[in-house]
Amino acid sequence: MKLFSFKSKGGENSKADEFILPEERTTSDILKKVRKIEIKTRGLSQNIFAGQYHSAFKGRGMAFSEVREYQFGDDVRDIDWNVTARFHHPYVKVFEEERELTVMLMIDVSGSLDFGTRGQLKRDMVTEIAATIAFSAIQNNDKIGVIFFSDKIEKYIPAKKGRKHILYIIREMLDFHPESKKTNIKEAVEFMSRVMKRRTTVFLISDFFTKESLQKTLQIAGSKHDLMAIQVYDPIVKQLPNVGLIKVNDAETGKEMILDTSSKKLRLAHSKAWSERQMTLRDDFAKSNIDWTSVATNEDYVKAMMRLFEQR
């Protein structure tokens, strides 16, 4: 839910300014923001994630590198008999890990991401996380692509390499205007499975505000691809503050309502609904064998990413 205004018992001392609304950005603003995100996230990928990313995401297998003379202890199964016959001396094939991966970012751009109460929108954190992953990928010579989704596929950017490509992706994330405000994660995952023919490393980034079970869809996709999930949420969905009357607008349906947050019963019901939704989500990921992490907008997403890498 996107809260656009509220009245509290404190009158003029209400905390209305804590609620962040999407800002209008000019082209100049966007370019400055792109540069700022590049500096921050590239630094993180170089100084923090470089080793963890490399070790967490293996290549597709072993690729032939060269031949060298046989040494004591080498596996005889690696002998290259053609070269050995030519030089009348045993030679073995040397293999190296085939590092190049295709990484696909699946980014939720539905209306619920345009909300924040702790200094930034969920969408802003999603952008930084995605950019950090992207810069980590190109450091390892991996290709990176993006799928923007709401309740339909909003935009598909095929995987490519290079800094220029990543800056284009970041710019799109900052200035993308989806046609729909609703969410359908199931359809997005199914689309990814159809277009990605080879095994792909996939990061599904969303607030996961969905009532449908994702288990079957995730199981099918996870059997073909290396799929991970990153949940970004605002603290208010976990614990509703006691600020009196608030007027809320569901960003995905447009439905408005007035809530009395001074009601302890309401706050308990709100927390219970969050816990139940998280339990269902956790169960779906566990049964699908999907690694995942969850981070609030007032937390350090670096720690959340490290937890995700350490699971692997």
Side-chain angles (χ1 to χ4, degrees):
M1 282 186 176
K2 170 185 167 186
L3 307 186
F4 64 86
S5 65
F6 72 88
K7 297 178 181 178
S8 75
K9 292 179 178 179
E12 294 182 357
N13 294 322
S14 65
K15 300 178 181 178
D17 59 333
E18 288 186 2
F19 291 83
I20 312 301
L21 297 177
E23 59 183 289
E24 293 295 329
R25 294 187 176 112
T26 65
T27 301
S28 177
D29 291 335
I30 291 170
L31 292 176
K32 289 178 182 178
K33 185 72 173 176
V34 169
R35 180 58 178 160
K36 183 177 179 181
I37 289 177
E38 179 190 12
I39 293 171
K40 179 178 180 179
T41 58
R42 186 168 61 176
L44 287 172
S45 65
Q46 290 174 342
N47 300 324
I48 299 177
F49 293 124
Q52 285 80 358
Y53 178 94
H54 183 90
S55 60
F57 307 110
K58 301 297 183 181
R60 289 192 296 270
M62 305 301 289
F64 172 74
S65 175
E66 61 181 352
V67 294
R68 61 166 172 77
E69 289 189 26
Y70 176 86
Q71 298 176 2
F72 179 76
D74 285 340
D75 192 331
V76 295
R77 291 173 296 183
D78 291 334
I79 292 177
D80 187 322
W81 294 107
N82 291 329
V83 178
T84 296
R86 190 181 308 156
F87 293 98
H88 307 289
H89 188 79
Y91 279 78
V92 294
K93 296 178 181 178
V94 177
F95 295 86
E96 292 181 351
E97 182 187 354
E98 190 178 11
R99 267 297 315 165
E100 182 180 302
L101 298 173
T102 297
V103 178
M104 184 58 61
L105 301 172
M106 296 186 61
I107 300 178
D108 186 347
V109 292
S110 62
S112 63
L113 274 293
D114 283 325
F115 173 64
T117 65
R118 300 300 174 91
Q120 67 176 331
L121 300 174
K122 287 184 284 183
R123 188 182 305 281
D124 292 336
M125 178 173 277
V126 166
T127 299
E128 287 197 17
I129 290 173
T132 302
I133 294 171
F135 279 114
S136 297
I138 64 166
Q139 274 189 249
N140 285 275
N141 203 35
D142 297 336
K143 295 187 292 184
I144 188 87
V146 177
I147 296 172
F148 293 126
F149 69 92
S150 54
D151 61 343
K152 63 179 182 178
I153 303 305
E154 296 279 353
K155 186 166 188 174
Y156 168 52
I157 302 176
K160 293 182 182 179
K161 295 181 182 180
R163 173 179 174 271
K164 186 176 180 180
H165 179 63
I166 289 180
L167 294 181
Y168 165 65
I169 289 174
I170 296 173
R171 189 170 65 249
E172 283 295 293
M173 286 190 287
L174 288 172
D175 195 40
F176 189 78
H177 301 286
E179 294 181 4
S180 174
K181 293 183 178 295
K182 298 181 180 179
T183 310
N184 190 326
I185 297 174
K186 180 180 177 182
E187 181 174 320
V189 174
E190 290 174 348
F191 171 83
M192 181 276 298
S193 294
R194 289 195 302 270
V195 298
M196 305 308 296
K197 304 300 182 182
R198 301 181 68 178
R199 184 170 177 81
T200 302
T201 300
V202 182
F203 292 89
L204 175 56
I205 312 175
S206 172
D207 56 12
F208 290 93
F209 274 12
T210 177
K211 295 180 180 179
E212 64 178 343
S213 174
L214 302 173
Q215 182 186 332
K216 186 176 180 181
T217 302
L218 293 176
Q219 279 181 329
I220 295 172
S223 65
K224 180 181 178 182
H225 302 286
D226 185 6
L227 179 59
M228 289 147 288
I230 302 172
Q231 181 189 34
V232 176
Y233 67 92
D234 190 273
I236 203 172
V237 301
K238 188 174 183 179
Q239 186 174 9
L240 195 64
N242 181 359
V243 291
L245 295 177
I246 62 173
K247 183 168 136 181
V248 299
N249 173 33
D250 189 315
E252 298 194 6
T253 67
K255 184 179 180 180
E256 295 183 6
M257 66 182 74
I258 302 294
L259 300 179
D260 183 5
T261 62
S262 64
S263 168
K264 185 177 180 181
K265 184 178 180 180
L266 174 66
R267 296 198 306 275
L268 289 174
H270 181 85
S271 297
K272 182 180 179 182
W274 163 260
S275 297
E276 290 175 349
R277 184 164 56 242
Q278 288 299 100
M279 192 176 299
T280 299
L281 198 60
R282 190 178 296 110
D283 193 48
D284 283 347
F285 289 140
K287 290 180 178 178
S288 306
N289 198 29
I290 301 296
D291 294 326
W292 76 295
T293 190
S294 184
V295 58
T297 53
N298 63 336
E299 295 177 341
D300 183 359
Y301 68 81
V302 171
K303 293 180 180 179
M305 296 298 295
M306 296 294 281
R307 288 197 302 268
L308 179 64
F309 291 171
E310 288 169 0
Q311 291 179 43
R312 306 179 58 75

